[in-house]
């Protein structure tokens, strides 16, 4: 706990890190460029994952550890993405967002990212259905066309 206070106090939460062990392989998670974005109701930061001896670390594990680091009540409000492993392995860098609530996440986050964490369900339609509706709409004008395109 004392080490965490030392790390958190240094330069406005510029560096926060923990050492986590899973099975026999350790992984260290650090956050940097930490910003509190009040307008989007979230905290955002760059995540560095040091994982020597492991090919990679699952996002679910990273989310779990970030929830523990920042004392997040609902881990569903955490979204991590954009991870790239450095050549040679051992270090991965990505981006993380911690929303104040799941409602805020649903309001501001992209639909495809929400779908990745099962907060949004895409309604899938076949290509043929989409094309048939488009071609039917070409033949109509005015209110009838608007009614056809808004109907789902």
């Amino acid at each position: 706990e004392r080490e965490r206070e030392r790390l958190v106090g240094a330069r406005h939460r510029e560096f926060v890190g923990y050492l986590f062990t899973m099975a026999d392989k350790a992984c260290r998670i650090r956050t940097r460029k930490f910003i509190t974005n009040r307008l989007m109701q979230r905290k955002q930061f760059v995540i560095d994952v040091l994982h020597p001896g492991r090919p990679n670390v699952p996002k679910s594990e990273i989310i779990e550890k970030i929830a523990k680091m920042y004392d997040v009540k609902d881990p569903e409000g955490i979204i991590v993405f954009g991870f790239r492993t450095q050549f040679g392995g051992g270090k991965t860098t990505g981006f993380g967002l911690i929303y104040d609530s799941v409602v805020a996440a649903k309001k501001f986050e992209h639909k495809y990212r929400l779908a990745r964490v099962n907060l949004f369900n895409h309604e899938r339609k076949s290509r043929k259905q989409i094309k048939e509706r488009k071609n039917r709409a070409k033949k109509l004008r005015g209110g009838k066309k608007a009614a056809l395109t808004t109907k789902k």
Side-chain angles (χ1 to χ4, degrees), residues 48-64:
D48 290 326
V49 184
L50 301 169
H51 49 90
R54 284 176 80 173
N56 220 326
V57 183
K59 284 183 187 176
S60 57
E61 190 179 326
I62 292 169
I63 288 170
E64 179 185 312

Side-chain angles (χ1 to χ4, degrees), residues 90-128:
K91 184 180 178 184
T92 302
T93 303
F95 202 75
L97 306 169
I98 301 174
Y99 282 93
D100 294 348
S101 65
V102 177
V103 176
K106 286 182 178 181
K107 183 178 178 184
F108 293 112
E109 194 56 39
H110 295 285
K111 300 287 187 257
Y112 72 91
R113 279 197 220 131
L114 289 174
R116 286 179 188 173
V117 291
N118 297 323
L119 291 177
F120 180 77
N121 191 14
H122 282 294
E123 197 175 297
R124 306 282 183 195
K125 292 182 184 171
S126 71
R127 284 176 56 87
K128 190 169 183 178

Side-chain angles (χ1 to χ4, degrees), residues 34-53:
F34 190 95
I35 296 170
T36 302
N37 189 339
R38 287 286 102 223
L39 194 64
M40 303 283 274
Q41 300 175 22
R42 69 185 183 196
K43 298 170 192 80
Q44 54 195 51
F45 45 85
V46 175
I47 305 167
D48 290 326
V49 184
L50 301 169
H51 49 90

Side-chain angles (χ1 to χ4, degrees), residues 130-144:
I130 294 166
K131 288 182 178 195
E132 283 175 356
R133 174 172 279 166
K134 175 193 65 126
N135 290 330
R136 262 186 270 131
K138 280 184 192 175
K139 296 171 189 169
L140 301 174
R141 291 186 60 181
K144 290 180 182 176

